[in-house]
Each structure stands twice: as structure tokens, then as C-alpha cells.
Amino acid sequence: MATSAAPSSLSFFNSSIFLPSSSQKPLSALAPKNSLKTSKPLSVSAELATLPVLSFTGDKVGETFLDLKSALPDTARAVVHRAIITDLQNKRRGTASTLTRAEVSGGGRKPYPQKKTGRARQGSTRTPLRPGGGVVFGPKPRDWSIKINRKEKRLAISTAVASAAENTIVVEDFSDEFEKLEKPKTTEFIAAMKRWGLDPKEKTTFLVTEVANNVRLSSRNIGTLKMLTPRTLNLFDILNADKLIMTPEIVDYLNARYGVDYDGETEDEEEEEEEEGGVEVEGTAADESSDAAE
């Protein structure tokens, strides 16, 4: 049977950054003898990539650079795998629930006598062996969430974006072009994608600072397209895409947030910490006010 060549994907299963070269020595030869006793910090490297910048008409108008932190090839696969499993598992609601034979209503009376019927003995109609009975070892509500370190998650995202550099295109901000239209048109967005060398049938992820209304309405009917902003940026959509499209503003944001020079917390992270500790802050203020009243 003839097989057709599948389109290249950004998945970490076939990305070159996650595959160690054959010339590298095995980890057992490089690791010191006492490596099991001492814990070492997570090693990172810098991945500098040159990306072409296209105009709205599809012409090349310049180049830009993507300089991100990236995990070493020996550990990149494990870091990205742990982060994607964390994201997918934390999305589970954990509300699946079944009833055991003790929780099913009814079944308190013995259905028929123990002897002289020729049938197998039964003590309840809610046994798991009968229809309408309980469920053996069925699911119960539980918490599926797991924790991952913030630096490790950030490193996984930057590693995934760095590995997708060969399938990444930078396009100038096109929001104003679609705002000029009288009404949103999907055909106009598909025509723009073709000018940028994109196939509408391939999975494409756009990274923009803000999704304009006409852009959102013009692209929402394209099932293979995802529009992400810095707040909705996630690892799954990056790995699941065949092509990654960015704006120059997003490139600057990624270099600042996930670049080599990044060292410290951003305003978004500080806001998250304030929200988590909001209850404690309010309680402290209430205690101070009560002490002052006394």
C-alpha cells in the first residue's frame, strides 16, 4: 500500500530539539559517580532563531530573532511531557460517579426463597450481577489536579516554541486591514493565509497580542485555526499546530518573558499571587481594624 508523506508537525515526538544527536555520549558516561547523591539545577540553553517577517500582502519585509530559553536535548522531552500531562490532567473535572450496591435504592427484600426453587441463591435485586444493580469499582468524584513548578512550566513552553521555529512565520499586525472591511468575511482571511503560504487545511495557531472583533469573526469558521493571546497561551495548542504564526509584538513578548535575559516575576504573576493571597490580606486588615477599635 502506498503511503503519503504526512505534514511536518511541531509535536515534541518528532521535533529535532528533543532528539539527541548520535555523536553525544550516553548520560551514564557523562554523569559523575556521586550524581545520585547531589541534586543539580535544571540546565537550560539558548536557542536563537531567525524568522522572516511578512507583510499583509505576503511580501518579505524583514527578519526578526527569537531568543528563548530551551531545555537541553537530553531533558527537553521529559520537561515538555510533564507540562503537557499537567495541563491535560488539570482540565479534568473529576465529577464521574457511580452507585455501589449499598447506595442503589431498593433491594432490601430477598427476591425469592433460598431453597426449593432450583435457581441460584440471591439476597438482593441490587447485586452487581443483575440489571439495575450497583457498580463494582466504579468511578467516584476525585481531584485529578497535579502541581508543576512555575519555572518548569515556563521552560516547557519556551522549549516548545523554540522547537517550532522552523515552522514559524512572523506577520505584521493585520487587525487594521480586517477592520476596514464592511463586514467579516472568512474568504478574506483564507485569502490572506494563502498569501502567507499557509494551507487552511493544516492546523495553524496564531499568536497575537489582541484579537480584533473582525479578525475573530472572520477566522472562527476555520476549524483548523486557533487564535491565542499571551493570556491564553498554552502548551497543547503549540505542540498540536503544524504552523505557528506570530506578530512582531508577540515576538518581543516571548523574548522578554521566556528569553535568556528574563529573571524575575512579571505583573501577571504578581497579580496571580495577590489573588491567591487575597483572603489572608483581607483577614489581616480586619484584625488590624479590630485592634484599633479596641
Side-chain angles (χ1 to χ4, degrees), residues 99-107 122-129 133-136:
L99 300 179
T100 63
R101 63 179 299 168
E103 297 169 336
V104 178
S105 61
Q122 294 286 340
S124 173
T125 57
R126 298 300 181 257
T127 171
L129 304 179
V135 179
V136 181

Side-chain angles (χ1 to χ4, degrees), residues 196-262:
W196 298 330
L198 304 176
D199 186 1
K201 296 182 180 180
E202 290 184 346
K203 291 179 289 186
T204 308
T205 297
F206 280 76
L207 299 180
V208 295
T209 54
E210 185 178 359
V211 182
N213 187 42
N214 275 4
V215 174
R216 179 181 61 84
L217 296 177
S218 300
S219 62
R220 65 179 179 178
N221 285 336
I222 305 176
T224 57
L225 187 142
K226 288 280 187 179
M227 281 283 180
L228 302 180
T229 61
R231 187 165 291 274
T232 60
L233 180 65
N234 63 90
L235 188 60
F236 180 82
D237 289 332
I238 295 175
L239 297 176
N240 194 42
D242 296 323
K243 294 290 184 179
L244 202 59
I245 311 301
M246 303 180 186
T247 59
E249 294 78 11
I250 281 293
V251 174
D252 296 338
Y253 168 80
L254 293 176
N255 288 333
R257 176 72 185 275
Y258 302 98
V260 179
D261 297 333
Y262 176 80

Side-chain angles (χ1 to χ4, degrees), residues 68-71 153-163 235 258-259:
L68 304 179
K69 288 182 180 179
S70 178
K153 183 176 181 179
R154 188 186 299 119
L155 179 62
I157 293 178
S158 61
T159 302
V161 175
S163 68
L235 188 60
Y258 302 98

Side-chain angles (χ1 to χ4, degrees), residues 12 17-20 24 27 40-45 70-83 152 155-156 159-160:
F12 61 91
I17 194 172
F18 304 112
L19 300 177
Q24 293 180 344
L27 293 177
K40 300 176 63 177
L42 193 63
S43 300
V44 297
S45 61
S70 178
L72 297 178
D74 295 333
T75 59
R77 187 183 183 93
V79 171
V80 176
H81 179 266
R82 174 175 168 79
E152 187 177 2
L155 179 62
T159 302

Side-chain angles (χ1 to χ4, degrees), residues 130 141 212 219 290:
R130 301 185 61 154
S219 62
S290 62

